[in-house]
Amino acid sequence: MENIKIDQLGYRPSDPKKAIIPQEVTEFDVVSVSDNKVVFKANASESVFCEASKETVRIADFSAVTTLGEYRIETSNGSSFNFPINDKPYGSLRKSLLDFFHYQKCGVDLDAGVWSHPACHTSPAFVIDANGKKTGEKKDVSGGWHDAGDYGRYIVPAAQTVAQLLLAYELSPNPDNEVLDVTWFEIEWMLKMQDDSTGGVYHKVSCKGFNPLNEMPEKENGELLLCPVSATATADFAAAMAMASRFYPEKKDKLLDAAIRAWNWCVKNPDVPGFKNPPGIETGEYGDHDSSDERFWAACELFAVTGDDEYHNYIKTREISIGLGWSKMGTYGIIAYLLHAGNKADVNLTQKMKDTLFSAAEKIFEKCKTDHYGISLGTYYRWGSNMDVGNNAMTLLLVDHISNGHFPKNENYREAALEHVHYLLGKNALNQCYVSGFGSKPMRNPHHRPSVAVGKAVPGMVSGGPNGHTRGDVILHKTCEGLPPMKCFVDHIESCASNEIAIYWNSSVYFVLSYLGF
Ligand code: G3I
Ligand code: 9MR
Ligand code: ZN
């Protein structure tokens, strides 16, 4: 019985290594798989109660095992899956997380093995107004990535994804060369989503509702509808395009021009209310009534690139906020300012931004100390909790970068971030590796239309993960009602609230692996 939880993909020799074992036993062995010999024997920790999984466990520290090889943990009443210790334990995982974006391409003939398909969603989209009525205008907005398990394309999550991929490229010790090409596919589409006359950016494009779960994308051929311009989409767009202008020198003018036109729209429209799906539209909403963090991010990116006072003055009068997930984007602004404002940076503002970011990281770090799986969600597991796991790890790593590894206190943020990765790869209450195609118990049945249509999961996709708010998801509710939050997950195609996949969940984990050099 595999009742001992470890990272199913394994460990690097010098990394800390902790398994979670049931409370009934104290002694554990590390056994070498090739000859069944015990190579390490020790006592696990005192038993501890884990609030998120409502179970009592012990922590088995086997960091002392550093010899390359294949192992498993054993106790008198069970064992773990086999796992390796070597210099590249994750193999092609990181590459596969990036390759995933290829499978999400819209508007092109896709050559992707059994998931290949003809070009989808190529017809021009009808612009609609806030009442859901067609305005008479049509626009070509083909291209970009399908957001997730559905075929909608939405600007807000696209901006998060682009930012995380570009930051992974910028801050990794060994960046993947393909990142810029991969990301350009989305940027090109985003540029088409801008309204030429006003500079505002349409919030999203999709059909009016979701199509059946077993349908390949080219089969979805209802009318495409372009939802109204929103403040969050426009500000996110301004930020992402200004940021991108630093990475694509030959496209700099075009990107910066688009960013400035979007910014000017934001200036002219300070009080536009947040986006809501117009009547009759049922696809992903990405509703967010507060565009202040998106505007802040945009101003920081524009200042980083242009050094213009207009943006600096704006930033100086705004609240500094934190966030890396689509509804709260402040941290991207902070990072742009801290890394790229150069000698134009204001000393006080720099300090304020550092304080805000560092205290957010400290809170995350404190939470890890009280969680026996070593992660930072406490008991709050919501839709896309695995993105929160990735984003919290990313926050720790951004502070690691900004502070050059010298923290205010002697805390190891890299190690804490790595525990988040171990959690995603199997060291969790369900013994579940949350990435398709990887681990001894991979996620196999994603709520992802092409995977459902073909009957086989596209590899390298990060599942949304446990969601303690099960209502509305019939299969999740039936399976997990009453269970503690860390266990509210079902590897079932129908569970969109726990087992969908999304571009911005992959980009989050991709950043973490890239930064850590895997
Ligand atoms: O804000 C409330 C909070 O006050 C409350 O405590 C909590 C618990 O119920 O819910 C919070 O709202 C949640 C919201 O996300 C913000 O976290 C909603 O319940 C929850 O249903 C909502 O989930 C979003 C989901 O769409 C449904 O709208 C996810 O964040 C978002 O990632 C997801 O995105 C979808 C797109 O719409 C369509 N494409 C797929 C994509 C991924 O599943
Ligand atoms: O399949 C849809 C998924 O991609 C979305 O993230 C989710 C958001 O609400 O909705 C899913 O669609 C379901 C719809 O909301 C309710 N009827 C069943 C649909 C398919 O499971
Ligand atoms: Zn498509």
Side-chain angles (χ1 to χ4, degrees):
M1 181 183 39
E2 282 99 6
N3 57 355
I4 297 176
K5 284 57 175 266
I6 40 95
D7 182 330
Q8 294 167 19
L9 272 69
Y11 301 83
R12 295 181 295 200
S14 59
D15 285 333
K17 305 171 196 72
K18 291 172 195 156
I20 299 293
I21 71 174
Q23 66 159 331
E24 297 81 32
V25 286
T26 52
E27 212 174 60
F28 72 95
D29 296 337
V30 179
V31 176
S32 156
V33 172
S34 59
D35 54 10
N36 276 322
K37 289 225 166 78
V38 175
V39 300
F40 181 76
K41 205 177 199 34
N43 284 325
S45 72
E46 292 299 302
S47 60
V48 280
F49 180 68
C50 173
E51 197 59 51
S53 62
K54 294 246 185 297
E55 49 180 17
T56 304
V57 297
R58 292 175 195 268
I59 299 166
D61 191 329
F62 60 105
S63 307
V65 183
T66 56
T67 309
L68 308 195
E70 172 116 20
Y71 304 95
R72 67 177 172 273
I73 314 281
E74 281 186 2
T75 65
S76 57
N77 76 353
S79 75
S80 71
F81 290 119
N82 295 343
F83 62 87
I85 294 180
N86 67 44
D87 293 321
K88 271 268 301 124
Y90 296 170
S92 60
L93 174 65
R94 167 173 153 189
K95 171 87 169 52
S96 187
L97 292 177
L98 187 63
D99 286 347
F100 154 74
F101 292 96
H102 176 70
Y103 296 92
Q104 295 296 101
K105 281 181 184 164
C106 185
V108 292
D109 288 329
L110 192 74
D111 183 2
V114 289
W115 301 278
S116 298
H117 63 79
C120 51
H121 307 110
T122 48
S123 58
F126 293 89
V127 178
I128 59 171
D129 65 19
N131 300 313
K133 298 270 168 336
K134 290 182 184 161
T135 64
E137 201 187 330
K138 274 205 219 174
K139 196 170 159 61
D140 165 37
V141 290
S142 58
W145 300 315
H146 300 135
D147 179 52
D150 63 325
Y151 297 136
R153 286 165 292 146
Y154 316 104
I155 285 292
V156 165
Q160 179 194 328
T161 310
V162 165
Q164 288 184 310
L165 292 176
L166 294 181
L167 280 171
Y169 182 76
E170 184 176 359
L171 302 182
S172 171
N174 56 345
D176 290 317
N177 290 326
E178 310 93 286
V179 178
L180 294 184
D181 277 350
V182 168
T183 312
W184 184 253
F185 191 82
E186 187 76 339
I187 295 174
E188 236 178 343
W189 165 73
M190 290 176 80
L191 289 166
K192 291 185 180 176
M193 291 288 282
Q194 184 168 39
D195 174 34
D196 296 329
S197 58
T198 63
V201 178
Y202 295 104
H203 194 77
K204 62 180 220 176
V205 58
S206 70
C207 293
K208 69 182 177 25
F210 294 114
N211 61 328
L213 194 53
N214 61 359
E215 209 166 75
M216 285 300 275
E218 78 283 3
K219 297 275 160 53
E220 189 189 49
N221 40 32
E223 278 176 359
L224 290 174
L225 303 171
L226 199 49
C227 282
V229 166
S230 75
T232 47
T234 306
D236 273 341
F237 173 95
M241 294 306 116
M243 179 183 190
S245 77
R246 292 194 276 110
F247 292 83
Y248 302 91
E250 72 289 2
K251 304 278 177 15
K252 181 169 177 181
D253 293 346
K254 185 186 169 77
L255 291 165
L256 197 53
D257 174 66
I260 291 171
R261 281 186 293 121
W263 172 258
N264 290 340
W265 183 96
C266 292
V267 173
K268 272 198 210 123
N269 296 277
D271 305 312
V272 179
F275 179 82
K276 267 198 140 352
N277 270 336
I281 301 289
E282 281 155 13
T283 49
E285 181 164 67
Y286 295 106
D288 175 359
H289 58 85
D290 178 9
S291 65
S292 62
D293 50 310
E294 288 83 3
R295 289 167 190 263
F296 169 80
W297 177 30
C300 290
E301 295 288 358
L302 281 160
F303 179 62
V305 181
T306 65
D308 286 356
D309 285 343
E310 173 187 356
Y311 309 115
H312 212 188
N313 293 336
Y314 183 89
I315 302 165
K316 283 177 184 162
T317 60
R318 300 294 138 163
E319 198 192 321
I320 301 167
S321 66
I322 287 292
L324 294 167
W326 62 264
S327 69
K328 302 223 176 312
M329 306 289 251
T331 300
Y332 298 106
I334 294 178
I335 286 299
Y337 192 90
L338 293 180
L339 296 182
H340 299 288
N343 54 16
K344 291 212 166 187
D346 176 276
V347 180
N348 289 330
L349 191 51
T350 299
Q351 195 53 49
K352 256 168 81 184
M353 288 199 191
K354 277 193 181 170
D355 290 347
T356 310
L357 182 61
F358 281 39
S359 86
E362 240 182 295
K363 275 196 199 124
I364 290 170
F365 190 79
E366 285 306 311
K367 280 204 158 164
C368 300
K369 288 189 194 157
T370 61
D371 185 276
H372 309 303
Y373 289 88
I375 63 159
S376 53
L377 300 195
T379 54
Y380 189 55
Y381 285 66
R382 57 174 179 171
W383 190 313
S385 65
N386 282 342
M387 177 190 79
D388 293 331
V389 172
N391 283 355
N392 285 355
M394 180 168 173
T395 301
L396 294 170
L397 295 174
L398 291 173
V399 170
D400 177 72
H401 181 78
I402 298 288
S403 63
N404 262 321
H406 298 300
F407 302 107
K409 297 177 192 164
N410 251 347
E411 294 164 336
N412 197 329
Y413 284 5
R414 294 174 72 95
E415 280 180 13
L418 186 50
E419 287 304 326
H420 289 67
V421 176
H422 294 327
Y423 166 91
L424 293 172
L425 301 180
K427 191 193 154 212
N428 54 61
L430 296 176
N431 223 0
Q432 177 72 51
C433 176
Y434 287 110
V435 185
S436 55
F438 288 84
S440 304
K441 187 184 171 192
M443 178 270 273
R444 294 182 195 278
N445 305 298
H447 184 88
H448 178 242
R449 283 169 174 72
S451 297
V452 174
V454 169
K456 187 174 165 28
V458 164
M461 303 194 295
V462 176
S463 165
N467 180 357
H469 311 272
T470 59
R471 225 164 279 141
D473 182 324
V474 177
I475 182 81
L476 179 65
H477 193 65
K478 206 170 80 189
T479 319
C480 301
E481 195 192 355
L483 290 182
M486 203 195 281
K487 292 184 172 172
C488 290
F489 167 80
V490 49
D491 185 6
H492 192 291
I493 56 167
E494 279 162 31
S495 181
C496 58
S498 81
N499 204 31
E500 192 163 356
I501 59 87
I503 53 173
Y504 51 105
W505 301 341
N506 259 65
S507 59
S508 170
V509 180
Y510 178 75
F511 174 90
V512 175
L513 291 185
S514 297
Y515 187 91
L516 290 172
F518 281 102

